[in-house]
Amino acid sequence: MKTRKLLTAFVGVFAAVALTACNGAGGSVDKLSGVRIMVPNSPGGGYDITARTSAKAMEDAGIARSVEVFNLPGAGGTVGLGRLVGEKGNGKLVMQMGLGVVGSVYTNKSPSELTDTTPIARLIDEPDIIVVSKNSKYTSIDELVAEWKANPGAVPVGGGSSPGGPDHLAPMLVAKAIGIEPKAVNYVPFDGGGELLASVLGNKIAFGVSGVGEYLDQIQAGELRVLAVTGPERIDGVTAPTLKESGIDVEFTNWRGVVAPPGISDEQRQALIDAYTEMHDSAEWKEAVRANGWGDAFLSGAEFGTFIQQQTDQCGAVLKDLGLA
């Protein structure tokens, strides 16, 4: 199936933080300092959590110091992307990003593209979850699907990304798989999982779609109920089936990573890649990946750049196939 084939291309990997500074010759990574990590959406979302987790892991592992994380939300991450591209040659700035920004470039008709940036590393992937509040009338994915199919417009779904992002693509693919026209879906976009959470908890939307790492605390506290996970396997500690186990032929995984401005020097680029490689190998990062339910899928430099180009092409194809681009 065309959509199914394109879907598998999104099983990605990613997340990161960044640092920079020229170090002299080769060898071990010098401690980096004064790097600013831009998060292109609101606090509390997946990019924000990944950036702050990465910054802490780098500092705790002695790889970096004085790493600042700041938020610049807007237009599904493309406001931040425009800022990053405009900071040509700035080796002290990086941006946390992922599949959401890839899609937002299309849907927001951004003049800046990810292929304009300097690729540093993708670090993690994670499945999305279909989630409701503990007080929701939906206790299973089957109940939700039945009501959704009966009246798609009356069952609003919220996602922590703008149209074209992972939290938008996942429910659209589910809708198509169960026979709902994607254009009939009542999708409510939020600027990150943090903003989405309040609407899920308050039952202001029928269900939400977000990364599992963003809501682990609320799930474990019993405030949220997970109806299904979009990845190929169940999630440890989360009592919910995969979509495929539920008879829905969809498998979807999000990814996150980090990019730097265009025009940085080869030395600055290599310092960032080396720092991320060292962080990836650290005990601090490995524990963070485990605690957040992320998948480890490290890729750096030119290989990550090739991956971004592939995702850019494939995201456009998926959006067109769904009638959304």
Side-chain angles (χ1 to χ4, degrees):
M1 182 180 280
K2 184 178 180 183
T3 302
R4 176 73 178 82
K5 291 180 180 177
L6 290 168
L7 243 192
T8 60
F10 283 106
V11 177
V13 241
F14 205 64
V17 109
L19 334 141
T20 192
C22 301
N23 57 11
S28 62
V29 177
D30 291 336
K31 185 175 288 189
L32 302 174
S33 65
V35 170
R36 306 183 75 215
I37 304 165
M38 184 200 309
V39 176
N41 60 14
S42 302
Y47 292 162
D48 189 66
I49 291 170
T50 305
R52 296 180 192 279
T53 301
S54 300
K56 186 177 187 304
M58 287 221 179
E59 291 186 337
D60 288 352
I63 300 167
R65 60 190 173 199
S66 302
V67 180
E68 177 191 354
V69 178
F70 71 100
N71 299 79
L72 184 64
T78 56
V79 170
L81 176 60
R83 162 77 179 274
L84 188 82
V85 172
E87 294 272 352
K88 183 176 181 180
N90 184 354
K92 292 286 187 178
L93 177 67
V94 296
M95 186 179 80
Q96 185 71 58
M97 49 72 71
L99 177 56
V101 180
V102 176
S104 293
V105 167
Y106 283 100
T107 57
N108 288 285
K109 297 179 171 53
S110 171
S112 299
E113 299 182 3
L114 282 168
T115 49
D116 297 329
T117 68
T118 301
I120 301 302
R122 75 178 192 192
L123 289 181
I124 63 103
D125 65 5
E126 70 170 346
D128 268 354
I129 52 174
I130 293 176
V131 64
V132 296
S133 78
K134 66 178 181 181
N135 300 317
S136 171
K137 63 181 177 180
Y138 305 117
T139 60
S140 72
I141 188 66
D142 291 338
E143 291 176 356
L144 171 61
V145 165
E147 192 160 321
W148 198 16
K149 288 175 69 174
N151 192 350
V155 183
V157 50
S161 57
S162 63
D167 298 349
H168 174 246
L169 287 172
M172 294 301 167
L173 291 163
V174 173
K176 187 167 185 177
I178 63 175
I180 298 173
E181 271 296 317
K183 289 182 180 180
V185 174
N186 182 4
Y187 179 76
V188 183
F190 294 83
D191 198 358
E195 289 191 1
L196 170 64
L197 179 60
S199 288
V200 175
L201 290 172
N203 294 306
K204 295 179 181 178
I205 53 177
F207 67 101
V209 177
S210 188
V212 62
E214 298 171 61
Y215 293 163
L216 277 177
D217 289 345
Q218 290 79 14
I219 293 167
Q220 292 168 354
E223 296 298 315
L224 294 176
R225 178 186 303 141
V226 181
L227 301 183
V229 300
T230 67
E233 299 176 349
R234 293 194 178 205
I235 300 170
D236 290 342
V238 176
T239 306
T242 66
L243 289 171
K244 283 201 161 185
E245 285 179 310
S246 305
I248 301 170
D249 189 20
V250 172
E251 189 176 293
F252 183 90
T253 308
N254 187 18
W255 57 267
R256 300 191 193 110
V258 112
V259 292
I264 63 173
S265 70
D266 290 343
E267 290 79 8
Q268 290 171 326
R269 172 180 171 276
Q270 192 59 50
L272 285 169
I273 291 172
D274 289 347
Y276 274 108
T277 301
E278 187 170 328
M279 186 193 78
H280 167 258
D281 294 337
S282 71
E284 289 81 359
W285 179 249
K286 291 181 187 301
E287 172 55 25
V289 168
R290 185 204 63 77
N292 283 284
W294 293 335
D296 177 11
F298 185 74
L299 194 66
S300 65
E303 289 183 324
F304 180 42
T306 298
F307 176 78
I308 288 175
Q309 183 63 66
Q310 291 171 342
Q311 293 283 277
T312 297
D313 296 342
Q314 291 161 350
C315 185
V318 169
L319 289 172
K320 288 176 183 176
D321 185 54
L322 293 174
L324 301 170

